[in-house]
Amino acid sequence: MKKKRMLFLRATALAALALVLALDALFLFTGARAFSPLENRNLQQRPALTLAGVTSGRYESRFDDYVSDQFPFRDAWVALKTAIDRLGGRTESNGVYLSGDGYLIQDFTMPSEADYQANLDALAGFLQRHGDLKQYVMIAPTAVTVERDRLPALAPAGDEGGYLDRLARDLSGAPARFIDLRAALAGARAQGQVYYRTDHHWTSDGAHAAYLALSAAAGLSGEAARLERRLLSGDFQGTLSASSGFLPGERDALWAYVPPEDEQFVVTYVGENRRSASLFAAAHLDTRDQYAVFLDGNHPEIRIETTAANGRALLVLKDSYANCLIPMLVGDYEKIIVVDPRYFTGRLEVLMEAEGVNEVLVLYNASTLAGDTALRGDLA
């Protein structure tokens, strides 16, 4: 009996070792995936090994993300883990809370002090260098702040509100107007849905509340009646459902605020040397990434030329939260230059001078801005 037990234990240990070695081999010899269709996001690639990255701890953090994102059969493991968690009554998966009224709410991760200071220095330095321009900073709170009452009881969600308060204080000396959107979004929430239930983005109604706040600060038209609220899809399933495994059967409605037909414009995707007469890419409505209908998703640089003829040229430094708001601006600016610093490799100073930029809008969501690679080195 003892001999059989020893044989069983040895066989189990050998099987476990073989599984670990097989997974390691797959990890080492299979190519890294660039994108996860299931989670609808870019995956972390192997970070460059540098002395600065090691000493700051950023290399270890990014390498951990790389291993997690590229682990063999990751999608199947995520699905299995979520199923087990649900059976155990858990309401959190992969940083996403299963919340009240059918909302999925992404947690906020407070940045390290080093990451916070690096991004603050990059942003404040850029604003100071262009103090002669009109500048507006809108850092959108995510659902974890505005929908906080829907979180599960005792959920240990990060203090995004405290982060926004500190950022506003630390930018108070910069020559820019910091527009706190929390009150505007809370007010809009009383009238409708300002965040998707299955996605991390705000809805177009949330973005429209931000547009009205910007209008008051920047002297824009702010005329709600000029924009048509149009349903684009009733079958939108966002990234939070995919990454958490929660609510796989739920769908959101995807709306847009569309400028009137007499507001003419040309949209140029600069890196691709491609032009369009539309702010919307309808082909994405037939894909999983329906949110990319706005401005065809994220691009390093987009130029929008309009018939406004008012001499106002706006530079928008942004993440994907801005994509559904920018179409609302075409009646207010003669030219809109849209730059996503995460992908832009040119020289901002040269671009701004060439395009005659005289106003700047910085529009990120708080979670993206808090990320360790959000701005560092990109605003030089």
Side-chain angles (χ1 to χ4, degrees):
M1 188 70 177
K2 184 176 181 181
K3 186 176 180 180
K4 289 183 178 180
R5 183 170 181 272
M6 289 299 296
L7 287 173
F8 173 76
L9 292 175
R10 287 176 182 175
T12 302
L14 288 172
L17 178 61
L19 177 61
V20 170
L21 291 175
L23 290 173
D24 286 344
L26 282 170
F27 181 76
L28 289 173
F29 297 110
T30 56
R33 296 188 301 161
F35 184 79
S36 169
L38 176 66
E39 298 179 64
N40 190 27
R41 68 177 181 89
N42 293 322
L43 299 176
Q44 175 68 48
Q45 303 301 294
R46 182 186 290 272
L49 181 61
T50 64
L51 179 60
V54 172
T55 55
S56 68
R58 291 195 298 273
Y59 174 80
E60 291 84 351
S61 174
R62 294 180 194 176
F63 192 83
D64 284 345
D65 291 341
Y66 164 69
V67 172
S68 176
D69 279 4
Q70 301 298 339
F71 194 81
F73 310 117
R74 182 180 188 277
D75 292 347
W77 290 114
V78 169
L80 177 61
K81 176 182 179 298
T82 301
I84 294 172
D85 287 346
R86 290 297 306 276
L87 289 173
R90 289 193 61 179
T91 57
E92 184 276 334
S93 174
N94 205 21
V96 178
Y97 293 106
L98 179 60
S99 304
D101 300 318
Y103 275 81
L104 299 178
I105 298 179
Q106 187 174 35
D107 196 4
F108 174 78
T109 301
M110 190 70 73
S112 70
E113 186 63 24
D115 289 337
Y116 176 83
Q117 287 297 333
N119 284 331
L120 175 67
D121 291 346
L123 178 56
F126 174 84
L127 297 173
Q128 291 289 353
R129 289 197 305 275
H130 299 285
D132 57 320
L133 307 180
K134 294 181 179 179
Q135 300 177 117
Y136 312 96
V137 176
M138 295 202 307
I139 309 304
T142 64
V144 77
T145 294
V146 179
E147 307 285 356
R148 202 169 188 87
D149 60 314
R150 290 191 162 108
L151 286 169
L154 305 178
D159 185 14
E160 185 181 77
Y163 169 81
L164 289 170
D165 289 338
R166 181 182 179 187
L167 191 64
R169 289 194 304 269
D170 290 345
L171 287 175
S172 61
R177 180 159 180 180
F178 188 95
I179 303 173
D180 191 332
L181 295 174
R182 282 173 284 185
L185 288 167
R189 179 195 177 199
Q191 306 300 319
Q193 185 179 345
V194 294
Y195 294 94
Y196 294 109
R197 289 183 169 86
T198 66
D199 194 68
H200 67 286
H201 290 100
W202 56 13
T203 65
S204 290
D205 289 336
H208 187 254
Y211 166 70
L212 295 179
L214 176 64
S215 297
L220 308 184
S221 64
E223 296 175 4
R226 90 174 219 284
L227 300 168
E228 177 192 350
R229 186 174 181 270
R230 184 182 302 175
L231 179 66
L232 301 182
S233 171
D235 192 39
F236 173 50
Q237 185 179 51
T239 57
L240 297 186
S241 180
S243 64
S244 69
F246 291 139
L247 305 181
E250 292 298 315
R251 296 294 186 271
D252 274 299
L254 190 74
W255 294 82
Y257 281 80
V258 182
E261 293 183 0
D262 60 352
E263 292 183 3
Q264 301 297 309
F265 44 82
V266 175
V267 182
T268 302
Y269 299 93
V270 177
E272 304 157 46
N273 196 26
R274 174 169 60 91
R275 292 189 171 189
S276 174
S278 176
L279 295 156
F280 307 94
H284 287 289
L285 296 176
D286 296 322
T287 71
R288 183 175 183 84
D289 188 15
Q290 291 189 13
Y291 187 81
V293 68
F294 301 107
L295 291 179
D296 194 34
N298 294 318
H299 295 265
E301 179 187 350
I302 301 172
R303 181 191 301 116
I304 304 172
E305 298 166 283
T306 79
T307 56
N310 57 14
R312 301 182 74 166
L314 176 70
L315 170 69
V316 182
L317 299 173
K318 62 91 185 181
D319 66 5
S320 59
Y321 258 53
N323 293 359
C324 64
L325 184 147
I326 288 171
M328 306 176 199
L329 296 170
V330 296
D332 298 302
Y333 288 94
E334 186 172 330
K335 185 188 297 184
I336 303 172
I337 308 300
V338 182
V339 169
D340 192 325
R342 297 171 297 176
Y343 313 115
F344 183 72
T345 59
R347 291 287 305 279
L348 266 180
E349 314 288 346
V350 174
L351 175 65
M352 293 170 68
E353 184 175 356
E355 298 290 356
V357 168
N358 49 35
E359 297 183 44
V360 175
L361 169 63
V362 179
L363 176 51
Y364 281 79
N365 78 75
S367 186
T368 298
L369 188 65
D372 69 340
T373 59
L375 293 172
R376 194 170 309 143
D378 296 324
L379 299 186

